[in-house]
PDB file of all heavy atoms in Angstrom:
ATOM      1  N   VAL A  63       4.214   5.867   4.778  1.00 98.00           N
ATOM      2  CA  VAL A  63       5.521   5.477   5.324  1.00 98.00           C
ATOM      3  C   VAL A  63       6.504   5.267   4.165  1.00 98.00           C
ATOM      4  O   VAL A  63       6.167   4.606   3.179  1.00 98.00           O
ATOM      5  CB  VAL A  63       5.404   4.197   6.176  1.00 98.00           C
ATOM      6  CG1 VAL A  63       6.775   3.707   6.631  1.00 98.00           C
ATOM      7  CG2 VAL A  63       4.503   4.451   7.393  1.00 98.00           C
ATOM      8  N   TYR A  64       7.672   5.841   4.286  1.00 98.00           N
ATOM      9  CA  TYR A  64       8.672   5.711   3.229  1.00 98.00           C
ATOM     10  C   TYR A  64       9.094   4.249   3.059  1.00 98.00           C
ATOM     11  O   TYR A  64       8.867   3.422   3.958  1.00 98.00           O
ATOM     12  CB  TYR A  64       9.901   6.595   3.536  1.00 98.00           C
ATOM     13  CG  TYR A  64      10.819   6.058   4.608  1.00 98.00           C
ATOM     14  CD1 TYR A  64      12.022   5.421   4.298  1.00 98.00           C
ATOM     15  CD2 TYR A  64      10.504   6.191   5.957  1.00 98.00           C
ATOM     16  CE1 TYR A  64      12.878   4.923   5.270  1.00 98.00           C
ATOM     17  CE2 TYR A  64      11.357   5.701   6.953  1.00 98.00           C
ATOM     18  CZ  TYR A  64      12.532   5.065   6.598  1.00 98.00           C
ATOM     19  OH  TYR A  64      13.368   4.573   7.574  1.00 98.00           O
ATOM     20  N   HIS A  65       9.668   3.944   1.930  1.00 98.00           N
ATOM     21  CA  HIS A  65      10.164   2.591   1.654  1.00 98.00           C
ATOM     22  C   HIS A  65      11.653   2.669   1.374  1.00 98.00           C
ATOM     23  O   HIS A  65      12.072   3.435   0.498  1.00 98.00           O
ATOM     24  CB  HIS A  65       9.470   1.989   0.428  1.00 98.00           C
ATOM     25  CG  HIS A  65       8.012   1.737   0.638  1.00 98.00           C
ATOM     26  ND1 HIS A  65       7.526   0.523   1.060  1.00 98.00           N
ATOM     27  CD2 HIS A  65       6.941   2.549   0.509  1.00 98.00           C
ATOM     28  CE1 HIS A  65       6.204   0.589   1.181  1.00 98.00           C
ATOM     29  NE2 HIS A  65       5.827   1.820   0.847  1.00 98.00           N
ATOM     30  N   ARG A  66      12.446   1.894   2.123  1.00 98.00           N
ATOM     31  CA  ARG A  66      13.878   1.833   1.842  1.00 98.00           C
ATOM     32  C   ARG A  66      14.272   0.369   1.726  1.00 98.00           C
ATOM     33  O   ARG A  66      14.195  -0.381   2.708  1.00 98.00           O
ATOM     34  CB  ARG A  66      14.674   2.528   2.963  1.00 98.00           C
ATOM     35  CG  ARG A  66      16.202   2.527   2.760  1.00 98.00           C
ATOM     36  CD  ARG A  66      16.558   3.098   1.431  1.00 98.00           C
ATOM     37  NE  ARG A  66      17.967   3.191   1.068  1.00 98.00           N
ATOM     38  CZ  ARG A  66      18.452   2.649  -0.054  1.00 98.00           C
ATOM     39  NH1 ARG A  66      17.706   1.884  -0.831  1.00 98.00           N
ATOM     40  NH2 ARG A  66      19.703   2.880  -0.408  1.00 98.00           N
ATOM     41  N   ASN A  67      14.624  -0.056   0.537  1.00 98.00           N
ATOM     42  CA  ASN A  67      14.957  -1.459   0.291  1.00 98.00           C
ATOM     43  C   ASN A  67      16.239  -1.597  -0.497  1.00 98.00           C
ATOM     44  O   ASN A  67      16.423  -0.920  -1.502  1.00 98.00           O
ATOM     45  CB  ASN A  67      13.815  -2.130  -0.491  1.00 98.00           C
ATOM     46  CG  ASN A  67      12.547  -2.219   0.340  1.00 98.00           C
ATOM     47  OD1 ASN A  67      12.511  -2.965   1.319  1.00 98.00           O
ATOM     48  ND2 ASN A  67      11.546  -1.441  -0.011  1.00 98.00           N
ATOM     49  N   HIS A  68      17.093  -2.514  -0.035  1.00 98.00           N
ATOM     50  CA  HIS A  68      18.334  -2.808  -0.750  1.00 98.00           C
ATOM     51  C   HIS A  68      18.189  -4.084  -1.578  1.00 98.00           C
ATOM     52  O   HIS A  68      19.132  -4.549  -2.199  1.00 98.00           O
ATOM     53  CB  HIS A  68      19.493  -2.922   0.234  1.00 98.00           C
ATOM     54  CG  HIS A  68      19.836  -1.608   0.894  1.00 98.00           C
ATOM     55  ND1 HIS A  68      20.488  -0.600   0.222  1.00 98.00           N
ATOM     56  CD2 HIS A  68      19.586  -1.124   2.130  1.00 98.00           C
ATOM     57  CE1 HIS A  68      20.647   0.448   1.027  1.00 98.00           C
ATOM     58  NE2 HIS A  68      20.103   0.155   2.190  1.00 98.00           N
ATOM     59  N   GLY A  69      16.989  -4.666  -1.560  1.00 98.00           N
ATOM     60  CA  GLY A  69      16.700  -5.856  -2.350  1.00 98.00           C
ATOM     61  C   GLY A  69      15.187  -6.010  -2.415  1.00 98.00           C
ATOM     62  O   GLY A  69      14.446  -5.202  -1.839  1.00 98.00           O
ATOM     63  N   LEU A 114      11.144   6.012  12.608  1.00 98.00           N
ATOM     64  CA  LEU A 114      11.989   5.121  11.830  1.00 98.00           C
ATOM     65  C   LEU A 114      12.571   6.060  10.783  1.00 98.00           C
ATOM     66  O   LEU A 114      11.812   6.729  10.079  1.00 98.00           O
ATOM     67  CB  LEU A 114      11.106   4.054  11.179  1.00 98.00           C
ATOM     68  CG  LEU A 114      11.746   2.881  10.491  1.00 98.00           C
ATOM     69  CD1 LEU A 114      12.472   2.023  11.513  1.00 98.00           C
ATOM     70  CD2 LEU A 114      10.684   2.032   9.800  1.00 98.00           C
ATOM     71  N   CYS A 116      15.718   6.826   7.821  1.00 98.00           N
ATOM     72  CA  CYS A 116      16.907   6.414   7.083  1.00 98.00           C
ATOM     73  C   CYS A 116      18.024   7.415   7.364  1.00 98.00           C
ATOM     74  O   CYS A 116      17.798   8.626   7.439  1.00 98.00           O
ATOM     75  CB  CYS A 116      16.614   6.360   5.588  1.00 98.00           C
ATOM     76  SG  CYS A 116      18.015   5.662   4.679  1.00 98.00           S
ATOM     77  N   SER A 176      18.609 -11.195   7.752  1.00 98.00           N
ATOM     78  CA  SER A 176      17.531 -11.623   6.875  1.00 98.00           C
ATOM     79  C   SER A 176      18.207 -12.377   5.741  1.00 98.00           C
ATOM     80  O   SER A 176      19.382 -12.154   5.464  1.00 98.00           O
ATOM     81  CB  SER A 176      16.802 -10.374   6.371  1.00 98.00           C
ATOM     82  OG  SER A 176      16.532 -10.476   5.008  1.00 98.00           O
ATOM     83  N   GLN A 178      17.462 -12.069   2.713  1.00 97.00           N
ATOM     84  CA  GLN A 178      17.185 -11.294   1.506  1.00 97.00           C
ATOM     85  C   GLN A 178      18.433 -11.062   0.638  1.00 97.00           C
ATOM     86  O   GLN A 178      19.453 -10.561   1.106  1.00 97.00           O
ATOM     87  CB  GLN A 178      16.622  -9.941   1.947  1.00 97.00           C
ATOM     88  CG  GLN A 178      16.284  -8.997   0.830  1.00 97.00           C
ATOM     89  CD  GLN A 178      16.015  -7.609   1.387  1.00 97.00           C
ATOM     90  OE1 GLN A 178      16.601  -7.209   2.385  1.00 97.00           O
ATOM     91  NE2 GLN A 178      15.129  -6.886   0.753  1.00 97.00           N
ATOM     92  N   TYR A 186      20.874  -9.419   3.936  1.00 98.00           N
ATOM     93  CA  TYR A 186      20.846  -8.127   4.621  1.00 98.00           C
ATOM     94  C   TYR A 186      21.011  -8.362   6.119  1.00 98.00           C
ATOM     95  O   TYR A 186      20.309  -9.204   6.699  1.00 98.00           O
ATOM     96  CB  TYR A 186      19.535  -7.365   4.369  1.00 98.00           C
ATOM     97  CG  TYR A 186      19.626  -5.947   4.930  1.00 98.00           C
ATOM     98  CD1 TYR A 186      20.054  -4.891   4.145  1.00 98.00           C
ATOM     99  CD2 TYR A 186      19.350  -5.691   6.278  1.00 98.00           C
ATOM    100  CE1 TYR A 186      20.201  -3.610   4.663  1.00 98.00           C
ATOM    101  CE2 TYR A 186      19.489  -4.417   6.812  1.00 98.00           C
ATOM    102  CZ  TYR A 186      19.915  -3.385   5.991  1.00 98.00           C
ATOM    103  OH  TYR A 186      20.070  -2.127   6.527  1.00 98.00           O
ATOM    104  N   ALA A 216       5.747  -5.219   2.805  1.00 97.00           N
ATOM    105  CA  ALA A 216       6.762  -4.226   2.417  1.00 97.00           C
ATOM    106  C   ALA A 216       7.615  -3.774   3.594  1.00 97.00           C
ATOM    107  O   ALA A 216       8.736  -3.299   3.402  1.00 97.00           O
ATOM    108  CB  ALA A 216       6.086  -3.014   1.777  1.00 97.00           C
ATOM    109  N   HIS A 217       7.066  -3.902   4.797  1.00 98.00           N
ATOM    110  CA  HIS A 217       7.798  -3.403   5.956  1.00 98.00           C
ATOM    111  C   HIS A 217       8.340  -4.522   6.840  1.00 98.00           C
ATOM    112  O   HIS A 217       8.702  -4.289   7.989  1.00 98.00           O
ATOM    113  CB  HIS A 217       6.940  -2.414   6.744  1.00 98.00           C
ATOM    114  CG  HIS A 217       6.589  -1.187   5.941  1.00 98.00           C
ATOM    115  ND1 HIS A 217       7.528  -0.250   5.567  1.00 98.00           N
ATOM    116  CD2 HIS A 217       5.415  -0.781   5.387  1.00 98.00           C
ATOM    117  CE1 HIS A 217       6.944   0.698   4.835  1.00 98.00           C
ATOM    118  NE2 HIS A 217       5.667   0.387   4.707  1.00 98.00           N
ATOM    119  N   ARG A 222      10.016  -7.797  12.232  1.00 98.00           N
ATOM    120  CA  ARG A 222      11.164  -6.934  11.964  1.00 98.00           C
ATOM    121  C   ARG A 222      11.694  -6.398  13.288  1.00 98.00           C
ATOM    122  O   ARG A 222      10.998  -6.390  14.294  1.00 98.00           O
ATOM    123  CB  ARG A 222      10.796  -5.763  11.068  1.00 98.00           C
ATOM    124  CG  ARG A 222      10.129  -4.597  11.831  1.00 98.00           C
ATOM    125  CD  ARG A 222       9.888  -3.380  10.966  1.00 98.00           C
ATOM    126  NE  ARG A 222      11.107  -2.819  10.431  1.00 98.00           N
ATOM    127  CZ  ARG A 222      11.148  -1.861   9.514  1.00 98.00           C
ATOM    128  NH1 ARG A 222      10.020  -1.359   9.047  1.00 98.00           N
ATOM    129  NH2 ARG A 222      12.294  -1.398   9.073  1.00 98.00           N
ATOM    130  N   GLY A 230      17.558   3.756  10.612  1.00 98.00           N
ATOM    131  CA  GLY A 230      16.693   2.690  10.113  1.00 98.00           C
ATOM    132  C   GLY A 230      17.421   1.442   9.652  1.00 98.00           C
ATOM    133  O   GLY A 230      16.879   0.336   9.730  1.00 98.00           O
ATOM    134  N   ALA A 231      18.659   1.590   9.195  1.00 98.00           N
ATOM    135  CA  ALA A 231      19.408   0.460   8.643  1.00 98.00           C
ATOM    136  C   ALA A 231      19.536  -0.709   9.625  1.00 98.00           C
ATOM    137  O   ALA A 231      19.710  -1.856   9.209  1.00 98.00           O
ATOM    138  CB  ALA A 231      20.797   0.916   8.198  1.00 98.00           C
ATOM    139  N   SER A 233      17.161  -1.570  11.770  1.00 98.00           N
ATOM    140  CA  SER A 233      15.831  -2.148  11.997  1.00 98.00           C
ATOM    141  C   SER A 233      15.530  -3.145  10.878  1.00 98.00           C
ATOM    142  O   SER A 233      14.751  -2.880   9.961  1.00 98.00           O
ATOM    143  CB  SER A 233      14.777  -1.039  12.066  1.00 98.00           C
ATOM    144  OG  SER A 233      14.960  -0.279  13.247  1.00 98.00           O
ATOM    145  N   VAL A 234      16.167  -4.306  10.985  1.00 98.00           N
ATOM    146  CA  VAL A 234      16.156  -5.311   9.914  1.00 98.00           C
ATOM    147  C   VAL A 234      14.746  -5.871   9.694  1.00 98.00           C
ATOM    148  O   VAL A 234      14.072  -6.279  10.635  1.00 98.00           O
ATOM    149  CB  VAL A 234      17.166  -6.443  10.234  1.00 98.00           C
ATOM    150  CG1 VAL A 234      17.086  -7.562   9.198  1.00 98.00           C
ATOM    151  CG2 VAL A 234      18.577  -5.867  10.312  1.00 98.00           C
ATOM    152  N   LYS A 235      14.327  -5.845   8.429  1.00 98.00           N
ATOM    153  CA  LYS A 235      13.020  -6.386   8.045  1.00 98.00           C
ATOM    154  C   LYS A 235      13.174  -7.863   7.690  1.00 98.00           C
ATOM    155  O   LYS A 235      14.255  -8.333   7.429  1.00 98.00           O
ATOM    156  CB  LYS A 235      12.476  -5.615   6.834  1.00 98.00           C
ATOM    157  CG  LYS A 235      12.297  -4.127   7.099  1.00 98.00           C
ATOM    158  CD  LYS A 235      11.610  -3.405   5.939  1.00 98.00           C
ATOM    159  CE  LYS A 235      12.591  -2.910   4.900  1.00 98.00           C
ATOM    160  NZ  LYS A 235      11.954  -2.020   3.898  1.00 98.00           N
ATOM    161  N   TRP A 236      12.049  -8.583   7.682  1.00 98.00           N
ATOM    162  CA  TRP A 236      12.043 -10.017   7.348  1.00 98.00           C
ATOM    163  C   TRP A 236      13.115 -10.748   8.160  1.00 98.00           C
ATOM    164  O   TRP A 236      13.899 -11.557   7.639  1.00 98.00           O
ATOM    165  CB  TRP A 236      12.267 -10.216   5.832  1.00 98.00           C
ATOM    166  CG  TRP A 236      11.329  -9.386   5.013  1.00 98.00           C
ATOM    167  CD1 TRP A 236       9.977  -9.579   4.889  1.00 98.00           C
ATOM    168  CD2 TRP A 236      11.649  -8.217   4.245  1.00 98.00           C
ATOM    169  NE1 TRP A 236       9.456  -8.586   4.093  1.00 98.00           N
ATOM    170  CE2 TRP A 236      10.443  -7.745   3.671  1.00 98.00           C
ATOM    171  CE3 TRP A 236      12.831  -7.523   3.967  1.00 98.00           C
ATOM    172  CZ2 TRP A 236      10.393  -6.617   2.856  1.00 98.00           C
ATOM    173  CZ3 TRP A 236      12.777  -6.402   3.159  1.00 98.00           C
ATOM    174  CH2 TRP A 236      11.578  -5.969   2.610  1.00 98.00           C
ATOM    175  N   TYR A 256      26.457   3.407   5.238  1.00 97.00           N
ATOM    176  CA  TYR A 256      25.893   4.062   6.427  1.00 97.00           C
ATOM    177  C   TYR A 256      26.973   4.488   7.421  1.00 97.00           C
ATOM    178  O   TYR A 256      26.862   4.248   8.623  1.00 97.00           O
ATOM    179  CB  TYR A 256      24.849   3.147   7.093  1.00 97.00           C
ATOM    180  CG  TYR A 256      23.623   2.977   6.225  1.00 97.00           C
ATOM    181  CD1 TYR A 256      23.309   1.757   5.635  1.00 97.00           C
ATOM    182  CD2 TYR A 256      22.791   4.065   5.967  1.00 97.00           C
ATOM    183  CE1 TYR A 256      22.193   1.617   4.810  1.00 97.00           C
ATOM    184  CE2 TYR A 256      21.683   3.932   5.142  1.00 97.00           C
ATOM    185  CZ  TYR A 256      21.392   2.716   4.573  1.00 97.00           C
ATOM    186  OH  TYR A 256      20.300   2.592   3.769  1.00 97.00           O
TER     187      TYR A 256
HETATM  188  N1  MTE B 524      15.965  -6.913   5.224  1.00 63.95           N
HETATM  189  C1  MTE B 524      16.096  -5.581   5.090  1.00 63.95           C
HETATM  190  N2  MTE B 524      15.905  -4.807   6.159  1.00 63.95           N
HETATM  191  C2  MTE B 524      16.034  -3.471   6.048  1.00 63.95           C
HETATM  192  C3  MTE B 524      16.402  -2.864   4.822  1.00 63.95           C
HETATM  193  C4  MTE B 524      16.572  -3.707   3.697  1.00 63.95           C
HETATM  194  O1  MTE B 524      16.874  -3.261   2.585  1.00 63.95           O
HETATM  195  N3  MTE B 524      16.409  -5.061   3.873  1.00 63.95           N
HETATM  196  N4  MTE B 524      16.567  -1.509   4.741  1.00 63.95           N
HETATM  197  C5  MTE B 524      16.914  -0.859   6.002  1.00 63.95           C
HETATM  198  C6  MTE B 524      16.926   0.581   5.902  1.00 63.95           C
HETATM  199  S1  MTE B 524      18.317   1.255   5.236  1.00 63.95           S
HETATM  200  C7  MTE B 524      15.913   1.345   6.398  1.00 63.95           C
HETATM  201  S2  MTE B 524      16.052   3.030   6.429  1.00 63.95           S
HETATM  202  C8  MTE B 524      14.669   0.725   6.915  1.00 63.95           C
HETATM  203  C9  MTE B 524      13.472   1.186   6.115  1.00 63.95           C
HETATM  204  O2  MTE B 524      12.305   0.602   6.589  1.00 63.95           O
HETATM  205  P1  MTE B 524      10.946   0.745   5.797  1.00 63.95           P
HETATM  206  O3  MTE B 524      11.161   0.387   4.364  1.00 63.95           O
HETATM  207  O4  MTE B 524       9.972  -0.116   6.501  1.00 63.95           O
HETATM  208  O5  MTE B 524      10.547   2.212   5.899  1.00 63.95           O
HETATM  209  O6  MTE B 524      14.701  -0.675   6.890  1.00 63.95           O
HETATM  210  C10 MTE B 524      15.968  -1.282   7.118  1.00 63.95           C
HETATM  211  N5  MTE B 524      15.819  -2.710   7.147  1.00 63.95           N
END
Side-chain angles (χ1 to χ4, degrees):
V63 174
Y64 75 102
H65 294 266
R66 180 54 179 125
N67 293 292
H68 292 286
L114 189 66
C116 187
S176 137
Q178 180 192 32
Y186 188 92
H217 297 292
R222 81 174 299 171
S233 291
V234 175
K235 300 186 272 190
W236 309 290
Y256 292 112

